[in-house]
Amino acid sequence: MSSNFELARLFYEMASLLEARDESVFRIRAYQRGAQTLETLGEDVRAVAARGGLTALPAIGKDLAAKIQEYLDTGRLEQLERLRAELPPAFLTLLEIRGLGPRTAKALYEQRGVDSVERLEALCRSKEIIGVAGIREKTCENILKAIAQWRAGRKRTLLPTARAIARQVGEALRAHGGVERLEIAGSLRRMKESVKDIDLLVTSTEPARVIRTLTTLPSIVEVLAQGPTKASVRHQDGLAIDLRVVEPEAFGAALQYFTGSKEHNVKVRELASRRGFRISEYGVFDEATGARVAGATEEEVYATVELPWIPPELRENQGEVEAAREGRLPALVTAADLRGDLHAHTDWSDGHHPLERLVEAAQARGYEYVIVSDHSRSLTIAGGLSIDELRAQVAAIRALQPRFRIRILAGTECDILADGTLDFPDEVLQELDVVLAAVHSRFKQSREEMTGRIVRALGNPWMNVLVHPTGRLIGSREPYDVDLDAVFEAARRHGKAVEINASPDRLDLADTHARRAAALGVPIAISTDTHYLRELDHVELGVGVARRAWIEPAQVLNARPLADLLAWARPDRA
Ligand code: DGT
Ligand code: CA
């Protein structure tokens, strides 16, 4: 089986080197997917090749099959060795610096010997890179800022990246045997927007085998610690993975303990000690006799302190223990409660698919409605629509409607201009089914100006949903300065909704803000802001934020049936 892992490692490296050379994303992805297939393949790739079954494997086409055969025959990949010889080993990390493309990085390497982030930083400070590939003084400053962000950003990983890695590693562990149960714990299970590491729990009759698999997986680049039942490793994407093998009778206790948060656990343990119990990752124990009284399931653990099971997203010691004790836990919204998506783009503005594809994809998901909300005329960099184009789009939507079961809502993501007026006149907005409004410019306004601007927009009779209300981009742009409580109060007063934008680097509103808005009675839209069709899947991240915000289906705008949604958005038409 060792060939599987060796080949997977080589394919991952190939993908990175192609990326460094700015090659087509399709080729890069092809190698990444091929590597994932090899990492999770339960049969020796030699045996598969011998029976001519390579191209029947998922993600292995003719090209990759030929590469696999080359390796099996010769023990090497000629193309990979050529690519390796062209670039220094640390070159790939340079490309993690925002704004530094492969071409500039290559010029810096060739002309100034920049082969690491440290050297890049030094030459930026001494200004020795000015003049290379059009770099100016201002570019130097930007690179230094990007390096600082890169350092800060490396500490935490965005939720969807971590989820994808956890899924892939989990699948690989299962494929190589010994795993009975496998669960994700920690902040990832609580759906925090970014995580420090991935915490995995496993039950197994062969702990050593599971540990060995993890520590030798091709996507794992470093073993940080290793023991008979636990291991800590670093994944090639930078984050650490902690794995523990636990006894089935203690699985629930371990899951409860390692899901955290620490603050939640402290609270639960206090309740236990008042009842004469001690809770640890090994179970719940009677302090007097030392006997284990619970541990196989989380329900059992919570039952010993007379609490119902508490959803992981709530376990932040933000009142959930009290709510559980008083029978007031919310019945949290799930993805299945959503009847439509209320923020999506098409190639009429900066989306990457025709209108029809969006509608098909949304209908295939079983939605009752989907909005078309392209940008408005002032946002020229995103291909904002003129009034004529918007009207033509509405006509196109109405013409398309008879071919679909799903209702297509004509909308816009209308810019909120600097003075708080909207980018389209009222008589145009009135023609649409649902109007979104957003700030896309003049982010540096004072708190008073920005608050006044958004509050004024909320007063427009035809706008319905304030989208990505703080404008933040996680890890790269701070939210603009705005009094959110004043915004939520205005939304409540005018009967408007606010959005949880599910785009992974936005997640805007954030959990704590969304909880405040919902508590005031402001309806919450959970939308994807889809620009690529696969982003419709991001809805899960938005639902995660909503659940962390204690939100129930009744508080969610797009959990309403179509008729209710339309009656709310366009009462004049009823
Ligand atoms: P993060 O920072 O995104 O990894 O957040 P967590 O919550 O996943 O934190 P982590 O990975 O350090 O630990 C996972 C869980 O294990 C944590 O939520 C609660 C539990 N835990 C870890 N260390 C301690 C500790 O020293 N005391 C207690 N009571 N619990 C701990
Ligand atoms: Ca963690």
Side-chain angles (χ1 to χ4, degrees):
M1 295 287 283
S2 62
S3 316
N4 295 17
F5 279 11
E6 279 160 24
L7 261 165
R9 216 168 270 129
L10 298 178
F11 280 6
Y12 277 128
E13 189 183 348
M14 188 82 134
S16 304
L17 289 169
L18 290 172
E19 207 170 348
R21 293 165 53 96
D22 212 6
E23 298 268 349
S24 113
V25 289
F26 296 104
R27 286 193 67 204
I28 297 166
R29 287 250 173 79
Y31 278 104
Q32 281 166 346
R33 294 219 183 92
Q36 289 177 358
T37 295
L38 290 164
E39 196 168 55
T40 49
L41 184 63
E43 183 185 358
D44 192 332
V45 68
R46 270 181 205 283
V48 182
R51 62 175 162 78
L54 287 177
T55 51
L57 295 175
I60 304 292
K62 266 216 323 261
D63 281 4
L64 264 62
K67 287 277 188 297
I68 294 174
Q69 198 59 56
E70 178 192 350
Y71 177 79
L72 294 177
D73 294 342
T74 68
R76 47 196 288 263
L77 292 178
E78 204 213 312
Q79 191 192 357
L80 176 67
E81 289 177 12
R82 243 185 307 121
L83 292 178
R84 271 183 192 155
E86 285 174 19
L87 295 169
F91 186 82
L92 294 174
T93 43
L94 284 177
L95 301 180
E96 292 170 15
I97 308 299
R98 189 178 274 258
L100 200 67
R103 220 157 292 154
T104 312
K106 194 139 187 275
L108 285 171
Y109 169 60
E110 282 165 358
Q111 298 175 37
R112 293 290 186 276
V114 172
D115 57 1
S116 66
V117 174
E118 287 67 30
R119 182 148 171 86
L120 175 67
E121 189 172 24
L123 295 193
C124 261
R125 290 200 197 289
S126 65
K127 312 226 155 88
E128 284 169 73
I129 61 170
I130 290 178
V132 180
I135 289 177
R136 288 175 304 185
E137 179 127 17
K138 183 80 195 153
T139 330
C140 267
E141 285 167 29
N142 289 339
I143 293 176
L144 286 173
K145 269 190 219 147
I147 291 175
Q149 269 168 9
W150 173 78
R151 291 227 163 85
R154 266 168 80 90
K155 292 195 198 111
R156 296 188 78 80
T157 301
L158 290 186
L159 178 65
T161 309
R163 267 159 69 92
I165 293 169
R167 222 176 275 144
Q168 167 69 18
V169 168
E171 204 183 312
L173 289 175
R174 282 200 188 90
H176 296 291
V179 171
E180 287 177 343
R181 241 189 115 175
L182 183 146
E183 293 283 348
I184 295 169
S187 49
L188 193 52
R189 184 168 181 235
R190 303 198 312 276
M191 295 290 281
K192 273 192 81 157
E193 64 192 32
S194 68
V195 304
K196 179 195 69 194
D197 57 11
I198 295 173
D199 303 286
L200 295 178
L201 288 181
V202 159
T203 60
S204 172
T205 48
E206 300 172 86
R209 179 171 180 177
V210 178
I211 299 294
R212 191 174 58 241
T213 304
L214 178 71
T215 53
T216 56
L217 278 184
S219 52
I220 296 306
V221 291
E222 193 184 348
V223 177
L224 305 167
Q226 186 174 352
T229 58
K230 58 184 177 184
S232 182
V233 299
R234 187 171 307 286
H235 185 266
Q236 58 184 2
D237 283 3
L239 84 173
I241 302 175
D242 273 356
L243 174 107
R244 282 180 186 74
V245 183
V246 302
E247 301 294 332
E249 54 283 12
F251 192 77
L255 187 57
Q256 199 282 330
Y257 181 89
F258 290 109
T259 295
S261 66
K262 215 162 152 175
E263 294 73 17
H264 171 86
N265 288 356
V266 166
K267 194 89 170 211
V268 173
R269 253 176 289 154
E270 279 169 13
L271 292 181
S273 89
R274 270 186 247 154
R275 287 168 176 76
F277 296 124
R278 187 173 54 80
I279 298 186
S280 75
E281 65 263 51
Y282 302 108
V284 184
F285 299 89
D286 187 316
E287 299 240 56
T289 66
R292 170 152 57 194
V293 297
T297 67
E298 284 193 326
E299 284 81 355
E300 259 181 43
V301 173
Y302 282 108
T304 58
V305 289
E306 292 160 59
L307 292 180
W309 180 82
I310 299 176
E313 296 93 334
L314 297 184
R315 301 184 195 171
E316 299 288 351
N317 191 28
Q318 295 294 323
E320 73 280 6
V321 173
E322 294 79 357
R325 195 165 46 211
E326 293 158 22
R328 298 188 279 108
L329 278 178
L332 298 176
V333 64
T334 68
D337 292 316
L338 301 188
R339 294 167 184 262
D341 203 316
L342 289 179
H343 190 162
H345 296 274
T346 72
D347 59 11
W348 285 67
S349 68
D350 60 350
H352 295 264
H353 42 259
L355 172 55
E356 205 174 331
R357 294 285 99 74
L358 171 68
V359 178
E360 280 169 8
Q363 177 162 299
R365 299 180 75 89
Y367 283 150
E368 208 173 311
Y369 46 86
V370 63
I371 199 171
V372 177
S373 56
D374 278 309
H375 290 288
S376 61
R377 56 186 174 175
S378 288
L379 203 62
T380 46
I381 52 158
L385 275 58
S386 67
I387 292 178
D388 287 345
E389 286 167 334
L390 179 65
R391 286 188 163 135
Q393 188 184 51
V394 174
I397 288 170
R398 303 302 183 222
L400 198 59
Q401 183 63 75
R403 292 180 31 213
F404 288 94
R405 169 192 56 74
I406 188 174
R407 173 65 174 269
I408 317 165
L409 300 168
T412 175
E413 180 181 4
C414 190
D415 264 36
I416 299 174
L417 304 178
D419 64 356
T421 57
L422 297 186
D423 197 16
F424 288 129
D426 285 3
E427 61 269 24
V428 173
L429 296 178
Q430 188 179 0
E431 294 166 20
L432 302 171
D433 300 320
V434 177
V435 171
L436 317 183
V439 168
H440 289 118
S441 60
R442 302 286 301 278
F443 296 110
K444 300 269 183 256
Q445 283 182 331
S446 71
R447 185 177 178 86
E448 292 66 35
E449 278 178 310
M450 186 59 88
T451 306
R453 172 184 182 182
I454 295 175
V455 166
R456 181 167 181 198
L458 286 162
N460 178 293
W462 305 107
M463 82 77 91
N464 303 110
V465 188
L466 175 67
V467 301
H468 46 74
T470 78
R472 73 164 176 174
L473 294 176
I474 302 173
S476 67
R477 187 170 77 205
E478 290 298 310
Y480 38 73
D481 196 5
V482 63
D483 178 354
L484 275 180
D485 288 316
V487 167
F488 297 155
E489 178 48 37
R492 190 199 55 75
R493 198 167 59 242
H494 294 295
K496 310 295 164 131
V498 295
E499 180 185 67
I500 292 175
N501 186 297
S503 189
D505 61 345
R506 287 193 183 271
L507 297 182
D508 179 10
L509 296 170
D511 44 24
T512 49
H513 297 148
R515 188 172 174 189
R516 260 153 54 197
L520 264 183
V522 177
I524 307 291
I526 305 172
S527 308
T528 60
D529 198 353
T530 283
H531 288 77
Y532 291 90
L533 291 180
R534 62 170 185 279
E535 293 173 352
L536 289 169
D537 289 340
H538 288 159
V539 66
E540 284 182 34
L541 305 174
V543 169
V545 174
R547 291 171 65 86
R548 289 178 57 80
W550 293 56
I551 289 174
E552 305 195 352
Q555 298 170 295
V556 177
L557 183 64
N558 48 323
R560 299 184 189 180
L562 176 67
D564 295 4
L565 172 71
L566 288 175
W568 171 84
R570 289 294 174 261
D572 57 307
R573 293 184 195 167

